[in-house]
C-alpha cells in the first residue's frame, strides 16, 4: 500500500524498519490481549503487530485507508473501526474488560485524544504511543521543569508515564517538522492518591495553569484564602509550575465543598 499522505489527517507514515521494530518490541503483544491501534494508516505497525498477535482492533478516520485495511485482512485478524477516535467508545472493545492501546498518533489531535483516553483508564492495561517529542516532554515533566503544566498534572494524576526513545523526522514520509518520541502510559492502581471530586480537581489545575507565571494567591483567589494555603503548607506566593500532583489534590480537597 503506498497512498499519498493527507496533511489534514496528520498523516506521516513510518518508513524506517528499525524504528518500526523497536516500537513493536516496546509494545510486546502477548497472547489473549485485546489491542487497539489508533491511526493504522497504511499499516506500518499493523502488519508487524499482526505477525505477533492473532487479532487487532484499529481506529482509522480516513475512509480510503480503512477500506484498504478491510480488503487486506480478514475480520478474524483485523476489526476496522472507521471513525474519529475522539468520538470512539473504547468500553465495548473487550465487553468492558481490559484493553491495550497503541499507535503512531496524528499530532494535531494528541492532547484531546489523551484526555479522551483518560476517561477509559479503568479498562486500560497500558498504552504505547508515538507523539511529538514536545508533547511527550510535557507529559513526563515534573514540578519546576519548563515543560511541566496542565497536561503533566492531569495525566500524572491517573498514569505512570515513561518516555522510551526519540524518533527523528527522517523515519517518516513525509518527514514532520518536529522530533517525535515514544511514550508508555500505565494507569495507576485503584489505591492512587485521588481527589474527592475529579472534576473540581481538573478545574483547580486548569485555573492555576491558566496564568502559570502568576502566584497561586492570585490565580486561585476565588477558591482559597492565603490562610487556607498556609493551612495546607503551601506558600500562597508559589506558582502552579512548582506544585506537585499531591499538592493540587490537597488544594482541590480543601476547596471542593465551597
Ligand atoms: N500508523 C501509521 C504509520 O505509523 O505509518 C500512520 C500514522 S499517521 C501519523 C496518523 C494516522 O491517524 C493516519 O492514518 C490518519 O489518517 C489517522 N487519523 C488522523 N486523525 C484521526 C482521527 N481523528 N481518528 C482516527 N484516526 C485518525
Amino acid at each position: 500500500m503506498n497512498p499519498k499522505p493527507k496533511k489534514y489527517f496528520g498523516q506521516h507514515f513510518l518508513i524506517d524498519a528499525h524504528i518500526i521494530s523497536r516500537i513493536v518490541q516496546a509494545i510486546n503483544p502477548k497472547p489473549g490481549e485485546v489491542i487497539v491501534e489508533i491511526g493504522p494508516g497504511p499499516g506500518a505497525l499493523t502488519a508487524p503487530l499482526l505477525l505477533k498477535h492473532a487479532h487487532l482492533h484499529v481506529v482509522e478516520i480516513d475512509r480510503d485507508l480503512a477500506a484498504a485495511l478491510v480488503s487486506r485482512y480478514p475480520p478474524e485478524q483485523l476489526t476496522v473501526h472507521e471513525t474519529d477516535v475522539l468520538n470512539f467508545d473504547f468500553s465495548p472493545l473487550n465487553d468492558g474488560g481490559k484493553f491495550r492501546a497503541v499507535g503512531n498518533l496524528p499530532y494535531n489531535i494528541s492532547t484531546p485524544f489523551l484526555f479522551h483516553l483518560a476517561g477509559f483508564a479503568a479498562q486500560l492495561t497500558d498504552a504505547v504511543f508515538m507523539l511529538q517529542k514536545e508533547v511527550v516532554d510535557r507529559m513526563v515533566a515534573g514540578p519546576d521543569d519548563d515543560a511541566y503544566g496542565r497536561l503533566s498534572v492531569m495525566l500524572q494524576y491517573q498514569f505512570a508515564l515513561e518516555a522510551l526513545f526519540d524518533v527523528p523526522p527522517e523515519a517518516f514520509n513525509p518527514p514532520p517538522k518536529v522530533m517525535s518520541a515514544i511514550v508508555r502510559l500505565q494507569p495507576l492502581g485503584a489505591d492512587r492518591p485521588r481527589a474527592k471530586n475529579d472534576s473540581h480537581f481538573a478545574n483547580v489545575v486548569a485555573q492555576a495553569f491558566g496564568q502559570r507565571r502568576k502566584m497561586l494567591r492570585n490565580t486561585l483567589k476565588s477558591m482559597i484564602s492565603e490562610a487556607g494555603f498556609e493551612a495546607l503548607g503551601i506558600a500562597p506566593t508559589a506558582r502552579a509550575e512548582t506544585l506537585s500532583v499531591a499538592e493540587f489534590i490537597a488544594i482541590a480537597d480543601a476547596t471542593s465543598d465551597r
Side-chain angles (χ1 to χ4, degrees):
M1 229 195 297
N2 212 354
K4 192 167 160 12
K6 295 173 189 146
K7 205 172 169 187
Y8 51 89
F9 284 144
Q11 292 179 352
H12 296 275
F13 301 138
L14 271 169
I15 51 170
D16 183 319
H18 176 64
I19 297 284
I20 291 169
S21 120
R22 284 184 75 189
I23 298 172
V24 172
Q25 263 176 41
I27 297 168
N28 189 17
K30 304 265 173 43
E33 290 173 340
V34 171
I35 304 184
V36 55
E37 183 191 354
I38 319 305
L45 294 174
T46 321
L49 283 171
L50 282 174
L51 292 177
K52 291 182 170 271
H53 204 63
H55 175 267
L56 285 180
H57 289 270
V58 293
V59 182
E60 174 58 62
I61 199 171
D62 184 322
R63 184 198 297 183
D64 301 329
L65 295 178
L69 288 167
V70 170
S71 53
R72 185 167 160 199
Y73 295 103
E76 312 81 77
Q77 259 196 306
L78 196 68
T79 306
V80 179
H81 305 267
E82 187 204 311
T83 186
D84 182 343
V85 73
L86 295 180
N87 300 325
F88 186 68
D89 181 3
F90 288 88
S91 42
L93 272 188
N94 187 17
D95 289 332
K98 293 274 185 184
F99 68 90
R100 303 183 70 200
V102 303
N104 170 12
L105 296 183
Y107 297 165
N108 49 348
I109 60 157
S110 47
T111 306
F113 167 70
L114 291 169
F115 280 106
H116 178 65
L117 185 74
F120 300 92
Q123 269 181 270
L124 189 67
T125 304
D126 71 347
V128 176
F129 293 134
M130 171 124 65
L131 289 159
Q132 255 175 273
K133 179 171 164 50
E134 177 265 329
V135 174
V136 171
D137 288 345
R138 287 199 277 132
M139 292 166 74
V140 304
D144 289 326
D145 288 344
D146 285 346
Y148 188 63
R150 177 172 168 243
L151 186 69
S152 333
V153 175
M154 292 308 298
L155 291 179
Q156 290 168 29
Y157 179 59
Q158 292 200 70
F159 299 100
L161 300 160
E162 187 188 359
L164 299 182
F165 57 92
D166 294 348
V167 180
E170 313 80 77
F172 305 84
N173 172 41
K177 291 202 177 69
V178 292
M179 278 296 280
S180 303
I182 307 292
V183 64
R184 187 191 302 280
L185 295 84
Q186 246 164 336
L188 298 170
D191 55 350
R192 72 188 166 98
R194 191 165 177 181
K196 287 189 242 169
N197 179 329
D198 287 337
S199 66
H200 179 64
F201 171 81
N203 288 341
V204 168
V205 175
Q207 192 163 325
F209 280 109
Q211 295 164 294
R212 57 181 289 136
R213 306 267 170 221
K214 284 203 166 177
M215 293 180 197
L216 295 170
R217 70 172 173 211
N218 296 321
T219 51
L220 299 183
K221 188 159 65 184
S222 61
M223 290 187 193
I224 180 165
S225 65
E226 298 218 2
F229 279 118
E230 272 149 20
L232 297 174
I234 297 171
T237 52
R239 295 174 171 77
E241 58 199 7
T242 67
L243 289 197
S244 65
V245 175
E247 286 172 315
F248 277 110
I249 293 174
I251 296 175
D253 283 355
T255 56
S256 62
D257 301 329
R258 310 181 86 230

